[in-house]
Amino acid sequence: MKNNKVKIGTEKVRWDLSFLYLGITDPEIEKDAEKFAQLAKKFYLKHNNNLANTLGGAISDYSEITMLLNKIGMYLHCVSSVNSSDSVIKAKKASIERVIEKNSGNYLEFFNLQIIKLTDSELQKLYSENSIVLKHKPWIEQIRLFKENILSEEVESALTKRSSFGPSAWGEFFEEVETDLLFIYKKKKLNLTEMIHIVSESKSAKERFLAMTVINDGLGGYFAKFSAQNLYMVSGANEVEREERKYKHPMEYRNRSNRVSDDVVRALHSAILEVGGPIAKRYYKLKAKHLGLKKLNWSDRNAPIPFADTTVIPFNEATKIVVSAYESFSPKIAEIVKKIIEQKRIDAPVERNKKGGAYNISVVLPGNKTVSVNFLNYLGGNRDVMTYAHELGHAVHGILAGEAQGVLMENTPIIYAETASVFGEMTTFNFLKKKLIESGDRKSLLVLIMGKIDDMLNTAVRQISFSNFERRLHGMDKEFKNWNKIEKLSAEKLSSVWLDVTKDFYGKEGEIFKYNNMENMWTYISHFHRPFYVYGYAFGELLTQSLYALQDKFGDKFEPLYLELLRAGGTKDAIELLKPFGLDPSNEKFWIDGISHGLDSLINEAEKLTKEIARKNKK
């Protein structure tokens, strides 16, 4: 593994977090936690039961507190991600979180509750008299969406103080256990990230099948039971809270937080099942032909086609590709990307105690300074390059929104938080595609297109399959029409549900896939610990495909409109954001068009190229 890291060139691509703290033992961490406690108490004494008079000042004070919390939270999350087994880090993180939750419960919980209790006339008066309140109107209105669902101040306070000992704690422990998983593959001990990389990048069907078998077996047994208990804790807690807060169904809170109607979410799920599923089957039949297989094993789903170049792409080369791609679209975006790289805000190597996956954190720090960090597990595959572009897209979004909207309105709902990241992937893809078209290398062009189709199917179709698994977990019936009380499902039952929802999109056993060695793959999906998070990926994918398809139509007007969309942060809902582009996500046709603009058109290209190459080979 050490030699591989040198070859990839990630060993020195470590983030520099000194702009936050100098280390986990830095006394400034405790000082800032104590400062937070003091500010929170002062905030309470100054503004409790007085918001009709002090809301503008309260928003300013709350912003300062939130920026300080961002500083502490960002650092603790980042250091625990790269050192998940470090006992000193775990102890420090737990102790600081207890301080934050206790003081938040005692002194901050009143704020949102009393904003909700303000009368419409009081708010209108404040909007007309105070510029800070007026600026934060979208944030205030978002809080007030949950007016009918709040509990008493005492109960809300108690819930906040106990939050670190609830389902979130189980989720955090789950990630630690998952990080420690090791799999024996060809007499080597590999972590989950490395094993999945083999399944995705190996050209050998036997290797892929063996790797998938090892993964599936390793995720079974005690880990599957542990994961099943985690999901029961999550779904059970969600059901209790739903009943107490009088939400109509388990997804209502997430949908409202995303500022999207239940009907739009249903339309998304229906469109992908009815249109995306058949398109996926059509594509995998094409892929099976390229792989020379009558039927695909599940381990073949993301496999590279035989003439794909699977040479490791060094990290510095990936950086050049991604930066050049962003430059080809927007100098402004490229400038932000270059600054992130120069400031050492990326952590790239794969290591034993490092958590899997990838993420971006963008926050506003004290002094209204917007910063962004990217977490990667880079192994040099084509998907790693796209993931790199994806996370930098999140970074651009976060920085533009943070600078424009400030700390309380920078965060975007999940459903369009993926817009800039998917757009960044598409920009990188089309940059490489253009070069290959110009070179006349049809085989490499086909490889690129089929790799992109793989990723898009994973983001749209696969994530809605995940969402259907999650809906079943939270009590929805097999027809996805009615919600019932949740049941405690065994690991074996969850595996059965997992297989059922997968077949809904990918066909019956033997139609295209043989569903061997995949029944335990639900166990490692950490997003299930954040109820109904996953549909946001599909929402963002199709939204962005529809948006991306408009570039030629809008010409020079597109870039400024797109940048304004990113700067909006959390101030607009999806309908408002897309209105300048003439798009309407409340119409089911919008989702079907998104599938058509993205997946269907690329599959058409792949089929055409396949025929061209076949004809050329016959000559």
Side-chain angles (χ1 to χ4, degrees):
M1 184 175 173
K2 185 175 181 182
N3 291 334
N4 197 33
K5 284 201 299 180
V6 172
K7 185 179 179 182
I8 297 170
T10 57
E11 68 277 0
K12 292 184 180 179
V13 187
R14 310 307 305 256
W15 50 29
D16 178 3
L17 301 177
S18 61
F19 68 97
L20 296 167
Y21 300 102
L22 298 179
I24 196 64
T25 59
D26 189 340
E28 291 300 314
I29 300 175
E30 277 85 0
K31 288 181 182 178
D32 279 348
E34 180 58 33
K35 181 180 179 182
F36 158 73
Q38 293 170 358
L39 289 173
K41 185 174 183 180
K42 183 178 178 181
F43 180 81
Y44 179 84
L45 295 172
K46 183 177 180 181
H47 301 294
N48 183 36
N49 293 320
N50 198 28
L51 292 187
N53 301 309
T54 68
L55 183 57
I59 289 172
S60 295
D61 292 343
Y62 191 71
S63 296
E64 292 297 327
I65 292 170
T66 304
M67 286 188 281
L68 181 60
L69 285 178
N70 283 345
K71 179 186 177 186
I72 300 169
M74 174 184 257
Y75 183 76
L76 292 176
H77 186 84
C78 288
V79 295
S80 63
S81 293
V82 295
N83 299 285
S84 64
S85 299
D86 189 304
S87 59
V88 175
I89 292 173
K90 287 195 284 189
K92 177 64 68 68
K93 186 171 183 286
S95 67
I96 295 296
E97 285 175 348
R98 284 197 296 273
V99 171
I100 290 170
E101 284 155 8
K102 177 183 177 182
N103 286 280
S104 295
N106 285 336
Y107 302 125
L108 299 181
E109 200 60 48
F110 81 91
F111 188 42
N112 283 8
L113 302 181
Q114 290 181 21
I115 285 176
I116 288 172
K117 291 177 181 178
L118 288 170
T119 66
D120 291 341
S121 59
E122 285 173 326
L123 267 179
Q124 290 306 317
K125 184 172 184 291
L126 286 162
Y127 289 143
S128 64
E129 294 177 352
N130 192 294
S131 59
I132 295 174
V133 178
L134 181 61
K135 177 185 175 183
H136 287 83
K137 185 176 180 180
W139 177 74
I140 292 167
E141 291 182 345
Q142 177 70 5
I143 291 171
R144 288 167 67 84
L145 281 176
F146 300 93
K147 187 173 184 177
E148 305 303 320
N149 310 108
I150 61 167
L151 304 175
S152 69
E153 192 169 320
E154 292 79 9
V155 172
E156 296 286 1
S157 174
L159 289 173
T160 298
K161 285 187 279 189
R162 296 174 188 176
S163 59
S164 63
F165 303 102
S168 63
W170 277 92
E172 188 173 313
F173 182 49
F174 172 89
E175 289 190 352
E176 290 180 24
V177 173
E178 184 188 77
T179 302
D180 289 339
L181 286 175
L182 290 175
F183 303 83
I184 306 300
Y185 177 79
K186 294 185 176 181
K187 299 181 180 180
K188 292 182 180 179
K189 289 183 179 180
L190 301 179
N191 63 23
L192 186 57
T193 299
E194 292 167 315
M195 291 298 299
I196 291 174
H197 183 75
I198 293 167
V199 175
S200 299
E201 298 296 329
S202 175
K203 287 186 178 181
S204 167
K206 288 183 178 179
E207 281 190 357
R208 295 192 299 267
F209 186 83
L210 174 60
M212 179 65 83
T213 303
V214 170
I215 294 170
N216 190 62
D217 290 348
L219 294 176
Y222 289 113
F223 185 78
K225 291 178 180 179
F226 171 63
S227 186
Q229 179 64 20
N230 262 276
L231 296 184
Y232 179 61
M233 295 290 289
V234 170
S235 60
N238 189 71
E239 180 172 72
V240 170
E241 189 158 348
R242 176 186 67 79
E243 291 174 346
E244 291 291 325
R245 295 185 184 279
K246 297 180 173 59
Y247 290 118
K248 297 182 185 71
H249 59 82
M251 291 182 77
E252 186 179 4
Y253 170 76
R254 178 65 75 185
N255 293 349
R256 272 209 255 165
S257 296
N258 283 334
R259 299 175 71 180
V260 65
S261 72
D262 293 346
D263 288 341
V264 169
V265 176
R266 276 193 291 268
L268 168 68
H269 283 73
S270 296
I272 291 181
L273 178 61
E274 293 166 13
V275 181
I279 284 176
K281 293 176 190 177
R282 173 179 145 213
Y283 169 71
Y284 288 120
K285 287 178 182 177
L286 175 67
K287 188 163 193 176
K289 289 180 181 178
H290 278 289
L291 295 174
L293 300 170
K294 289 183 180 180
K295 301 294 178 187
L296 297 173
N297 287 312
W298 193 248
S299 53
D300 299 319
R301 189 169 52 90
N302 290 320
I305 57 178
F307 48 82
D309 182 359
T310 54
T311 305
V312 167
I313 302 168
F315 190 80
N316 61 350
E317 186 178 330
T319 298
K320 290 176 185 176
I321 291 169
V322 173
V323 170
S324 296
Y326 276 113
E327 281 178 332
S328 72
F329 169 66
S330 169
K332 172 64 177 177
I333 290 177
E335 180 186 326
I336 295 170
V337 167
K338 288 176 185 175
K339 191 173 181 181
I340 289 167
I341 295 166
E342 290 166 4
Q343 291 177 329
K344 295 185 177 181
R345 300 283 162 83
I346 300 170
D347 201 273
V350 174
E351 293 188 328
R352 282 285 178 261
N353 293 319
K354 187 176 179 180
K355 291 181 181 178
Y359 66 73
N360 165 266
I361 301 179
S362 298
V363 297
V364 181
L365 297 178
N368 289 299
K369 180 183 178 184
T370 304
V371 299
S372 186
V373 296
N374 289 323
F375 176 89
L376 304 172
N377 277 277
Y378 187 88
L379 283 167
N382 289 321
R383 282 191 177 85
D384 294 308
V385 178
M386 290 299 174
T387 299
Y388 188 10
H390 180 104
E391 298 306 334
L392 284 171
H394 279 306
V396 168
H397 199 168
I399 287 172
L400 288 173
E403 291 175 348
Q405 304 300 337
V407 67
L408 300 184
M409 297 190 295
E410 58 150 340
N411 290 323
T412 57
I414 292 163
I415 55 171
Y416 45 91
E418 294 299 319
T419 303
S421 53
V422 173
F423 199 96
E425 283 189 64
M426 284 302 297
T427 300
T428 303
F429 165 74
N430 279 315
F431 174 79
L432 294 172
K433 182 182 174 185
K434 183 181 177 183
K435 284 186 171 294
L436 289 173
I437 290 172
E438 290 170 352
S439 73
D441 186 347
R442 311 302 276 173
K443 283 190 173 182
S444 294
L445 178 60
L446 178 60
V447 169
L448 179 73
I449 289 172
M450 290 186 72
K452 185 59 185 168
I453 295 168
D454 284 334
D455 291 342
M456 289 170 68
L457 286 171
N458 286 337
T459 306
V461 177
R462 192 80 184 118
Q463 292 294 335
I464 292 301
S465 173
F466 285 6
S467 183
N468 280 353
F469 172 80
E470 192 173 24
R471 292 198 288 172
R472 290 281 302 279
L473 170 71
H474 286 264
M476 193 169 245
D477 60 27
K478 290 182 179 181
E479 289 73 34
F480 298 101
K481 291 181 179 178
N482 299 306
W483 294 95
N484 303 309
K485 286 277 188 180
I486 67 160
E487 298 177 16
K488 185 172 185 178
L489 303 178
S490 67
E492 292 76 17
K493 178 60 178 175
L494 286 168
S495 291
S496 176
V497 172
W498 179 255
L499 189 58
D500 287 344
V501 298
T502 302
K503 287 179 179 178
D504 287 341
F505 291 89
Y506 297 91
K508 296 178 181 178
E509 177 76 38
E511 181 182 348
I512 295 167
F513 286 101
K514 291 180 279 185
Y515 296 103
N516 35 29
N517 302 312
M518 55 80 70
E519 69 273 9
N520 294 324
M521 300 303 284
W522 58 271
T523 61
Y524 81 95
I525 311 297
S526 60
H527 284 326
F528 292 151
H529 300 130
R530 300 171 67 183
F532 309 109
Y533 181 93
V534 293
Y535 80 75
Y537 285 105
F539 196 113
E541 176 72 45
L542 299 186
L543 181 155
T544 306
Q545 293 303 329
S546 294
L547 195 64
Y548 199 89
L550 296 174
Q551 286 189 79
D552 290 340
K553 178 182 176 181
F554 279 79
D556 293 341
K557 294 179 181 178
F558 185 85
E559 183 193 358
L561 280 174
Y562 176 70
L563 292 175
E564 281 307 303
L565 181 150
L566 300 187
R567 290 189 181 102
T571 63
K572 296 178 180 178
D573 62 29
I575 291 173
E576 292 174 299
L577 279 175
L578 295 178
K579 191 174 181 180
F581 299 92
L583 298 173
D584 180 11
S586 65
N587 188 332
E588 187 169 347
K589 186 177 182 298
F590 169 82
W591 302 111
I592 295 171
D593 287 346
I595 296 169
S596 176
H597 293 319
L599 277 169
D600 198 37
S601 62
L602 284 178
I603 293 171
N604 287 337
E605 284 189 64
E607 290 170 337
K608 183 180 177 182
L609 279 168
T610 298
K611 290 176 182 177
E612 284 181 19
I613 292 168
R615 282 196 300 267
K616 188 175 180 181
N617 289 340
K618 285 180 180 179
K619 291 179 181 179

